[in-house]
Amino acid sequence: MASYTKTTRHKRKLRDQKSGRAAAANREKKGTTPIFPIHTPEADANAPQEAKQG
């Protein structure tokens, strides 16, 4: 049988390894940048003429 110290250290090691995995998985799945519109009518109206031709 393992000593209490060894058991405790092992449990703590496992807990440290598992901490943050759910948050990391959510960041990987959803990303960190919020979705925002790129081409809005206001932005197109304010764009320079060179950008509107292309």
Side-chain angles (χ1 to χ4, degrees):
M1 183 173 139
S3 67
Y4 286 124
T5 303
K6 194 76 161 179
T7 304
T8 301
R9 287 180 180 169
H10 181 68
K11 287 180 182 179
R12 287 178 181 167
K13 182 180 175 184
L14 289 178
R15 187 175 62 220
D16 288 345
Q17 286 175 347
K18 285 195 261 181
S19 66
R21 283 193 181 181
N26 284 336
R27 283 194 305 272
E28 181 71 25
K29 183 169 53 174
K30 298 177 183 175
T32 57
T33 305
I35 297 172
F36 57 92
I38 297 173
H39 297 288
T40 62
E42 296 83 19
D44 290 340
N46 293 331
Q49 288 298 324
E50 298 84 26
K52 292 180 184 177
Q53 292 173 358

